[in-house]
Amino acid sequence: MASKSSANKKAASGCSCRWFSLRSLSLLAVFLALFSALYNFLDARLNQFYIFDPEHLHDLSQRAIKAHGEDTRSIVDFIVAELQEKVGEKYLSTEEEWVFNNAGGAMGAMYVIHASITEYLIIFGTAIGTEGHTGRHTADDYFNILSGEQLAYVPGSFEAERYPAGTVHHLVRGQVKQYKMDSSCFALEYARGWIPPMLFFGYADTFSSTLDFPTLWATTRVTAREMVGNLLQFKL
């Protein structure tokens, strides 16, 4: 009798587990379907959320270089001043906070001008040179060279792509390259698309290499502050 009762309990338990598993899978399938639908809907309308224009940023970079030559400090000031006037300070960082950035094996420093769910705009560069992997991203990246020169390489090519001051290196969403700055090089970097997934690339070197957690915290604090601040203003 005891054996029969035990068997019944096991059978009931097995049915319960299968029911729970099927229900969980069904809920997961519904969630993924809704998420996919929402993603496709928003992805097709990303242009509605942008407040920056790649052509304007390229023109602005060229005018800043023309006005200040090789004075990178003045070039950055020129760019930020015009953006504050054209875009408005409410969408821009009011503090110039420089932090190191390690990503894809390359190291430099960045100053976040704007960060939101669909866009970021930063000054990125180094005074001593660096080299690394661009990453494969969920956003288009426009790298406007302000001083120095950037080199890029794609598999199968036998010549480097060269981007001197005044040019823009457009890394198309989903593509990847090797890049290098032989010496001092600074750029106005603009990304438009889905920004949050890019953070994994930006954080990976901390855990696999540098273990520089104070810099990780500074990057997180500044980025989160700007993203949340823009969300509160209904800016995706």
Side-chain angles (χ1 to χ4, degrees):
M1 184 67 70
S3 176
K4 185 176 181 181
S5 175
S6 176
N8 288 337
K9 287 181 179 179
K10 288 182 179 179
S13 176
C15 289
S16 175
C17 288
R18 284 195 297 272
W19 178 80
F20 177 77
S21 178
L22 289 173
R23 185 179 68 170
S24 298
L25 289 174
S26 298
L27 290 174
L28 178 61
V30 170
F31 171 78
L32 290 176
L34 291 174
F35 178 82
S36 179
L38 178 62
Y39 171 82
N40 290 329
F41 177 82
L42 293 175
D43 194 59
R45 294 162 176 77
L46 280 176
N47 284 331
Q48 300 177 16
F49 305 115
Y50 300 144
I51 60 174
F52 298 101
D53 176 56
E55 292 185 4
H56 168 249
L57 294 174
H58 186 205
D59 175 67
L60 173 57
S61 298
Q62 290 181 320
R63 286 188 284 108
I65 294 169
K66 184 176 181 180
H68 298 287
E70 297 181 358
D71 184 354
T72 310
R73 171 73 271 171
S74 296
I75 290 173
V76 171
D77 291 341
F78 183 100
I79 289 171
V80 173
E82 180 166 318
L83 289 174
Q84 289 177 336
E85 181 179 343
K86 180 178 177 61
V87 178
E89 291 190 3
K90 69 176 184 176
Y91 293 121
L92 308 178
S93 174
T94 57
E95 300 179 42
E96 186 173 329
E97 300 168 283
W98 286 89
V99 295
F100 272 128
N101 177 259
N102 290 83
M107 183 173 184
M110 66 177 180
Y111 153 36
V112 178
I113 300 173
H114 172 89
S116 61
I117 300 299
T118 59
E119 296 175 287
Y120 77 65
L121 184 66
I122 66 174
I123 302 293
F124 174 82
T126 172
I128 60 175
T130 191
E131 178 181 5
H133 189 292
T134 61
R136 195 181 299 275
H137 299 302
T138 51
D140 282 277
D141 188 272
Y142 300 85
F143 207 71
N144 294 275
I145 309 300
L146 303 178
S147 63
E149 181 182 56
Q150 184 193 52
L151 305 177
Y153 170 75
V154 294
S157 175
F158 292 95
E159 294 184 3
E161 298 174 6
R162 293 185 174 274
Y163 299 95
T167 63
V168 58
H169 179 192
H170 178 198
L171 181 67
V172 178
R173 173 176 168 172
Q175 293 187 0
V176 64
K177 296 181 182 181
Q178 177 188 10
Y179 77 96
K180 181 179 183 181
M181 302 167 175
D182 276 328
S183 57
S184 178
C185 182
F186 287 86
L188 176 68
E189 182 178 0
Y190 171 55
R192 52 161 43 187
W194 295 110
I195 304 305
M198 300 177 71
L199 298 177
F200 295 105
F201 176 75
Y203 286 166
D205 278 22
T206 298
F207 298 99
S208 64
S209 174
T210 68
L211 302 180
D212 183 5
F213 295 108
T215 291
L216 178 68
W217 166 244
T219 302
T220 302
R221 176 180 56 80
V222 173
T223 305
R225 182 193 68 208
E226 297 303 311
M227 282 189 169
V228 172
N230 281 303
L231 273 176
L232 292 175
Q233 299 180 94
F234 304 103
K235 166 62 178 80
L236 287 183

